[in-house]
Amino acid sequence: MTRYPQSSLVAVLGPTNTGKTHLAIERMCAHSSGMIGFPLRLLAREVYERVVALKGANRVALVTGEEKIIPDQAQWFLCTAEAMPMNREFAFVAIDEAQLGIDPERGHIFTDRMLHARGRDETMILGSESLRSLIEALLPDAEIINRPRFSTLSYAGPRKLSRLPRRSAVVAFSLEDVYAIAEMLRRQHGGAAIVMGSLSPQTRNAQVKMYQDGEVDYLVATDAIGMGLNLDVTHVAFASLRKFDGRRRRRLTLAEIGQIAGRAGRHQKDGSFGTLSGLASSDELLPEEIENLEAHRFPRLEWLYWRNAEPDFGTVETLIHSLEERPVERRLHAAPEAVDLAVLKRLARDPDVVRLAGSADKVRLLWEVASIPDFRKVGADHQARFVASLWPHLAAGQGRIPHARMAQEISRLENVQGDIATLGARIAAARSWSYIAQKSHWVEQPDAMIDRTRALESRLSDAMHSQLTQRFVDKRTRVLMRGLLKDTLPQDVAVDDDGTVMVEGHELGTLKGFQFVVPSDSRREDRKMLLAAAERYLGRIMTENADALAKAPDSVLTLVPDAAGQPTILWGDANLATLTKGKTLLQPEIKYDRSVKDMAPEDSQKVASRVKAWVEAMKAKHLEGLVKIDALANDPETPPAVRALFAQIVDAGGILSRRDIDQAVRALDNDMRGHARRAGLVFGALDIFHHALMKPGAVLWRTALFAAFDAQPMIDQVPDNAVHLKEGTFAAADHASRLGFRKIADEYVRVDMVERLVKQAHEARKQGELFAIDPALATSLGLSKSCHEALLDLAGFVKTDDKPTPVAPPPSGDDAAPETASAKPIESATIETGTKPVDEAPADNGPGTGEPAAATQYWRWKGMARKKTRHPAKSKGKPAKQARATPGKRKAEPVLATAGGAFAELAALRDSMKK
């Protein structure tokens, strides 16, 4: 760029937050044309948008390596330092952050622009106060203007990440640290925005907008934040004071620390800086460093990096030699070998590459290709291989990269799926192709490729922003954490009809009764925070719910088995308590759900009292008879024999096979039986039971109490009012009895219906010694013929092929039994197992064989077998003798008498069922 003798050269120096960039924009817009070179593409894009708002899009250009927007009427150019068009004339030129001339990788670019970029009317150099001595020596004609900081910057000391104030920026120097810190901020504060130089402008702008709009309160950034980005930052915290500069890991210089820390505070708003707790002692700021940072005193720069900006393009060798030339000015030092020079050297080792660089123009082109930025950060070797793949297309033939090659490479990157690392790699590769597409003389269809690469980067940037937001931002956590720091509850905490808890428009979780359920999409590490927030926000609502439950009717609570089959008390869908083993079957322990225990003590007591009262009410409602029997069993006024019997019946849950306690039953006299009848017991032929325990509610509570007492899952319930099961699968032999059923053959019949069928059979005995039993009742109950016959056999009846003869009716009375020699008891094993006895009918059934079931079947009373009681001393080594009945003489049988005496109880049962 031509140097204009009459132009004004001004160096505006000072710390950050001095408005230097704003001054340069104002001065540029005051001229007919202008250009500003920035250190970052992000900053160039930010200022470009500001100038467009002032001058209009058709008059403002953006020029970076990957992006060029140059309208035909463009007068004001915003560029990165490397992309500044040095061969074009502008009335105003400025170079921002000129102190970056000390940067090992890019410093020579800023040094060259500071020394040679000039505007026709005015040139402005913006930088740190540390540049003053160099400006005075290298540019003696420059007017130096000092811009003081608008606000105060003070040291706040080390702080934990969880204790950082809102509007803080945390600075880290590796991708891993940036992501790790952002993840911790998400868990502790609800999220953070990410700002890195490698992000596309679209992604970076979207992230910054989240921060500026207050959607997140924290920012995690690399040192790119120190390059003039205008952010509303109150505090800057250093996660480390060391960085890898491309060659070694070193401590930040005081100027670098000041450049970054200076981002805290804006205009006249004060700012602070500090470190994160836990840094190594060698990384802590020293007292003298803190003093200098607060006073903005930094060591003056004594030299800048320099590289020949006009190299010799005669041959590849002369080009390399000229680029390695050392400056003659002592205040300029030769720049370290940058990536572009390293790539050129590697290309120079390839004879095929050198062969195609046979002219000065081709050498110039080779240098231009070697200067493609290493956006992917893959290093000189990999970058050289990439450049070498392009070089034959550019140096031979039409001198352009084939459209098919570029289209293929771009298509390979168009997948927007993947994690942050994958998308970041694709964006870096897309930036390389965007840079190439901007070189119109390299591409066959430049306009199409520019549009396509721009669209590609845009889509990948959107996907990247989405991934960053999804991973590092939790708006719900942010709202909750802010609320937890307040002294008062937010005003807009609401619980929807379905129990969804909303706090400031964000779902906190679901309230089921007193149980707070975190959302299913919550991460495991967020549960503690959500539960803490729920405890704070829902205290008042929990109290209201406890009061509502205390006043609610019994119908709002239910007893159901939980997933493990344990009897659980629910309020709606909310688990309140579980019944567990207590002292007795009727006195289970109530184990309250944790949600009830975690409530305020007074609220928890209300819920516990209501649940206890409900359990007692349900026992009184559904198990009234069993409760009364239990009371009589524990009443000293009850005869001991009755107490013993009642205790066994209570332990069995109110239903017990008569055969199991036959001795105890036969020991009862009439007065004792009166006690039992008044308690509601029915002494059936096969079972003793309480008539009210057949109802569905009683069955449910009995099985629940057994499950609690035995610490076993509840038995699956049978359909309400079911009296007969064709088949059933029970885990234990006594489960059918607990449901109120007796196994008959391969079927199950409810015990009260069993006694009804037995009663019908005894009524039929009035016909005579041989009698017919109407099967209609059994059929109406759904019993098969074989099941009915097995039941009658178990009750002491036997089929016969004899025909009846007219005889006198049997004696009346409950204890009557037929005096017949055929009343031979069947083996007790038959009753105990329920095995169907072998049909005793002769093989030749006479003329009725093969006829339909309509033929009348006659029965004979034989009597029920007793449960044998062995006396070891007498029966040892001797088989037990079977009792025989003497023909013509009826022997008193207490068992038979008891079976016959059940009619009165069955009559009471029938009357109760009618009611």
Side-chain angles (χ1 to χ4, degrees):
M1 177 173 285
T2 304
R3 182 164 185 173
Y4 300 97
Q6 301 302 320
S7 69
S8 171
L9 178 60
V10 178
V12 182
L13 308 179
T16 54
N17 188 19
T18 59
K20 296 191 297 290
T21 302
H22 182 72
L23 175 63
I25 295 171
E26 285 185 342
R27 294 301 302 155
M28 181 186 72
C29 291
H31 289 276
S32 59
S33 63
M35 175 177 66
I36 304 177
F38 296 98
L40 292 177
R41 177 190 182 193
L42 301 177
L43 185 55
R45 162 64 77 163
E46 178 183 313
V47 176
Y48 165 76
E49 292 173 353
R50 290 171 60 183
V51 177
V52 164
L54 296 172
K55 297 294 187 177
N58 64 323
R59 304 173 69 190
V60 183
L62 174 67
V63 182
T64 68
E66 309 100 284
E67 191 173 17
K68 286 185 174 63
I69 304 174
I70 307 178
D72 293 338
Q73 302 178 23
Q75 297 171 259
W76 295 277
F77 281 61
L78 292 311
C79 317
T80 53
E82 289 86 346
M84 293 173 68
M86 299 291 287
N87 57 351
R88 184 163 179 167
E89 180 181 304
F90 295 95
F92 174 88
V93 170
I95 177 70
D96 192 22
E97 305 291 355
Q99 74 276 1
L100 285 179
I102 198 66
D103 182 74
E105 182 70 26
R106 306 170 62 207
H108 62 90
I109 299 292
F110 287 85
T111 300
D112 177 73
R113 302 299 185 259
M114 184 180 73
L115 296 177
H116 301 112
R118 294 292 181 266
R120 185 181 63 248
D121 298 325
E122 183 178 2
T123 301
M124 186 174 287
I125 298 171
L126 312 177
S128 168
E129 178 66 26
S130 60
L131 270 175
R132 178 179 289 272
S133 61
L134 287 174
I135 295 291
E136 292 173 344
L138 298 175
L139 303 173
D141 296 334
E143 176 187 359
I144 299 177
I145 299 176
N146 181 263
R147 297 277 289 193
R149 181 180 169 93
F150 293 149
S151 59
T152 300
L153 181 66
S154 58
Y155 178 63
R159 295 189 181 185
K160 293 182 178 180
L161 194 67
S162 59
R163 299 292 184 181
L164 288 180
R166 293 177 54 205
R167 316 310 293 169
S168 290
V170 182
V171 180
F173 299 99
S174 72
L175 191 64
E176 294 78 9
D177 288 347
V178 167
Y179 289 165
I181 292 168
E183 178 67 25
M184 288 188 285
L185 286 171
R186 185 198 66 79
R187 294 200 301 265
Q188 297 176 2
H189 296 286
I194 306 293
V195 173
M196 299 183 293
S198 60
L199 293 180
S200 66
Q202 185 172 332
T203 303
R204 169 266 186 186
N205 288 343
Q207 289 286 302
V208 169
K209 188 175 187 301
M210 279 198 315
Y211 177 81
Q212 294 293 83
D213 291 348
E215 295 181 27
V216 292
D217 293 327
Y218 298 88
L219 185 75
V220 185
T222 60
D223 50 355
I225 192 177
M227 295 298 118
L229 295 180
N230 295 309
L231 299 170
D232 184 16
V233 174
T234 301
H235 178 78
V236 171
F238 289 87
S240 173
L241 292 176
R242 293 181 176 273
K243 63 179 284 188
F244 181 74
D245 62 5
R247 291 172 176 79
R248 61 186 177 89
R249 183 173 175 80
R250 61 173 178 81
R251 196 175 193 274
L252 298 176
T253 65
L254 190 65
E256 290 172 328
I257 296 173
Q259 182 76 21
I260 298 169
R263 291 297 130 194
R266 192 169 187 181
H267 299 297
Q268 297 183 4
K269 183 178 180 181
D270 294 340
S272 62
F273 67 97
T275 59
L276 291 183
S277 299
L279 295 186
S281 58
S282 59
D283 281 347
E284 288 293 344
L285 289 169
L286 301 175
E288 57 270 22
E289 290 178 321
I290 296 171
E291 181 181 354
N292 288 329
L293 288 168
E294 290 180 332
H296 313 296
R297 292 193 301 266
F298 305 109
R300 293 191 174 188
L301 298 178
E302 301 297 332
W303 49 266
L304 298 174
Y305 282 120
W306 174 89
R307 189 171 75 181
N308 189 355
E310 298 180 354
D312 182 355
F313 295 106
T315 64
V316 175
E317 291 78 4
T318 59
L319 172 62
I320 295 174
H321 179 74
S322 62
L323 289 171
E324 292 181 330
E325 181 181 339
R326 293 187 174 277
V328 295
E329 169 62 50
R330 65 179 182 83
R331 294 179 180 82
L332 301 178
H333 288 190
E337 184 178 273
V339 174
D340 53 2
L341 180 56
V343 169
L344 178 63
K345 286 183 175 181
R346 284 161 176 76
L347 293 175
R349 299 171 191 165
D350 188 339
D352 294 333
V353 172
V354 176
R355 179 176 52 81
L356 293 175
S359 65
D361 290 340
K362 292 296 177 65
V363 173
R364 186 185 298 273
L365 177 62
L366 179 61
W367 175 233
E368 190 176 359
V369 177
S371 299
I372 296 175
D374 181 19
F375 295 111
R376 299 173 298 164
K377 302 300 180 185
V378 294
D381 289 332
H382 286 81
Q383 182 70 2
R385 285 195 287 272
F386 172 66
V387 171
S389 70
L390 303 177
W391 173 242
H393 300 299
L394 297 173
Q398 296 182 353
R400 284 179 169 80
I401 301 172
H403 180 75
R405 162 76 189 278
M406 284 198 68
Q408 182 181 11
E409 294 288 347
I410 293 171
S411 297
R412 188 172 56 85
L413 300 172
E414 287 180 334
N415 182 6
V416 297
Q417 303 300 318
D419 56 17
I420 292 174
T422 301
L423 290 172
R426 291 191 191 126
I427 289 176
R431 293 178 69 187
S432 296
W433 290 108
S434 294
Y435 182 92
I436 293 170
Q438 296 294 337
K439 304 285 187 179
S440 58
H441 55 290
W442 288 6
V443 183
E444 288 185 347
Q445 299 179 26
D447 292 339
M449 287 297 98
I450 288 173
D451 291 341
R452 189 167 178 181
T453 54
R454 184 178 297 165
L456 170 63
E457 187 173 347
S458 178
R459 288 194 300 272
L460 291 173
S461 297
D462 287 341
M464 173 66 92
H465 173 65
S466 177
Q467 285 283 356
L468 290 171
T469 303
Q470 181 178 347
R471 178 172 173 182
F472 299 123
V473 177
D474 188 335
K475 295 181 180 179
R476 175 177 59 208
T477 301
R478 172 182 165 272
V479 169
L480 298 183
M481 291 306 299
R482 287 177 115 184
L484 291 175
L485 298 176
K486 296 179 181 178
D487 295 330
T488 58
L489 295 177
Q491 298 300 312
D492 53 350
V493 178
V495 180
D496 294 345
D497 294 338
D498 61 355
T500 301
V501 181
M502 305 296 292
V503 179
E504 295 188 15
H506 296 283
E507 181 182 351
L508 175 62
T510 303
L511 186 62
K512 294 183 177 180
F514 302 102
Q515 182 182 15
F516 175 75
V517 181
V518 299
S520 58
D521 61 346
S522 298
R523 303 175 187 178
R524 183 174 60 182
E525 58 269 21
D526 293 341
R527 293 179 60 86
K528 183 176 180 181
M529 180 274 301
L530 288 171
L531 292 173
E535 182 179 355
R536 175 178 176 83
Y537 292 144
L538 300 179
R540 173 179 53 81
I541 297 173
M542 291 291 193
T543 299
E544 294 174 355
N545 286 351
D547 292 338
L549 176 60
K551 300 175 183 178
D554 289 341
S555 58
V556 301
L557 299 179
T558 55
L559 177 70
V560 297
D562 63 10
Q566 297 304 303
T568 303
I569 300 171
L570 298 183
W571 180 30
D573 294 333
N575 183 350
L576 295 183
T578 301
L579 300 183
T580 60
K581 184 175 183 178
K583 295 180 180 179
T584 65
L585 180 70
L586 289 176
Q587 294 178 309
E589 181 180 345
I590 302 174
K591 183 178 180 181
Y592 294 96
D593 187 75
R594 182 174 180 177
S595 62
V596 176
K597 296 178 181 178
D598 290 343
M599 297 169 61
E602 58 274 16
D603 295 334
S604 180
Q605 184 59 44
K606 291 177 188 177
V607 176
S609 299
R610 183 66 184 92
V611 171
K612 288 179 182 177
W614 182 79
V615 170
E616 294 302 318
M618 292 301 101
K619 289 194 297 183
K621 177 180 178 180
H622 298 294
L623 304 176
E624 180 182 7
L626 195 60
V627 172
K628 288 182 178 179
I629 293 172
D630 182 57
L632 290 171
N634 292 282
D635 187 355
E637 300 297 326
T638 304
V642 177
R643 291 174 63 187
L645 175 63
F646 282 5
Q648 294 183 69
I649 292 174
V650 171
D651 290 343
I655 301 175
L656 190 61
S657 173
R658 178 166 185 151
R659 197 163 179 272
D660 292 341
I661 56 171
D662 187 57
Q663 297 295 331
V665 172
R666 288 191 289 117
L668 300 179
D669 58 22
N670 288 336
D671 289 340
M672 295 177 183
R673 292 194 181 207
H675 277 281
R677 291 190 185 97
R678 285 191 294 275
L681 282 178
V682 175
F683 290 80
L686 299 179
D687 296 285
I688 298 175
F689 58 92
H690 194 284
H691 65 85
L693 297 182
M694 300 299 107
K695 298 179 180 179
V699 174
L700 173 66
W701 273 90
R702 287 177 60 253
T703 55
L705 292 178
F706 274 118
F709 194 75
D710 297 338
Q712 295 292 329
M714 285 180 64
I715 305 169
D716 292 337
Q717 303 295 294
V718 299
D720 290 351
N721 300 319
V723 297
H724 169 243
L725 303 175
K726 278 288 186 184
E727 57 183 18
T729 302
F730 298 99
D734 60 350
H735 285 185
S737 174
R738 291 180 178 181
L739 290 171
F741 286 80
R742 168 176 279 277
K743 185 175 183 180
I744 307 295
D746 292 330
E747 302 177 32
Y748 295 86
V749 186
R750 205 168 73 185
V751 294
D752 57 339
M753 294 298 105
V754 168
E755 298 304 333
R756 185 175 175 185
L757 290 167
V758 173
K759 180 179 184 296
Q760 179 199 32
H762 280 287
E763 291 287 347
R765 289 174 55 196
K766 296 178 181 179
Q767 301 171 23
E769 182 179 348
L770 299 179
F771 47 88
I773 300 176
D774 186 358
L777 177 58
T779 301
S780 67
L781 295 176
L783 274 65
S784 65
K785 180 181 178 183
S786 61
C787 179
H788 187 206
E789 291 179 351
L791 170 58
L792 293 173
D793 181 82
L794 190 61
F797 298 89
V798 62
K799 294 191 295 184
T800 180
D801 293 330
D802 296 341
K803 304 298 180 181
T805 58
V807 294
S812 60
D814 290 346
D815 297 337
E819 296 181 15
T820 171
S822 63
K824 179 180 179 181
I826 64 175
E827 290 294 327
S828 63
T830 303
I831 295 178
E832 289 176 341
T833 62
T835 304
K836 180 178 178 181
V838 178
D839 192 348
E840 299 176 2
D844 53 339
N845 291 328
T849 303
E851 291 182 358
T856 303
Q857 174 67 60
Y858 290 96
W859 297 80
R860 187 190 303 275
W861 169 250
K862 68 172 181 177
M864 294 174 60
R866 298 176 186 172
K867 185 175 183 180
K868 296 180 181 179
T869 304
R870 292 186 179 273
H871 300 282
K874 296 182 179 180
S875 61
K876 184 176 181 181
K878 298 181 181 180
K881 293 183 179 180
Q882 184 176 2
R884 296 178 179 271
T886 304
K889 184 177 181 181
R890 179 166 61 85
K891 183 177 181 181
E893 292 281 349
V895 174
L896 301 180
T898 305
F903 294 160
E905 285 82 351
L906 289 173
L909 170 63
R910 181 181 60 191
D911 293 341
S912 66
M913 293 181 68
K914 287 181 179 180
K915 294 179 181 180

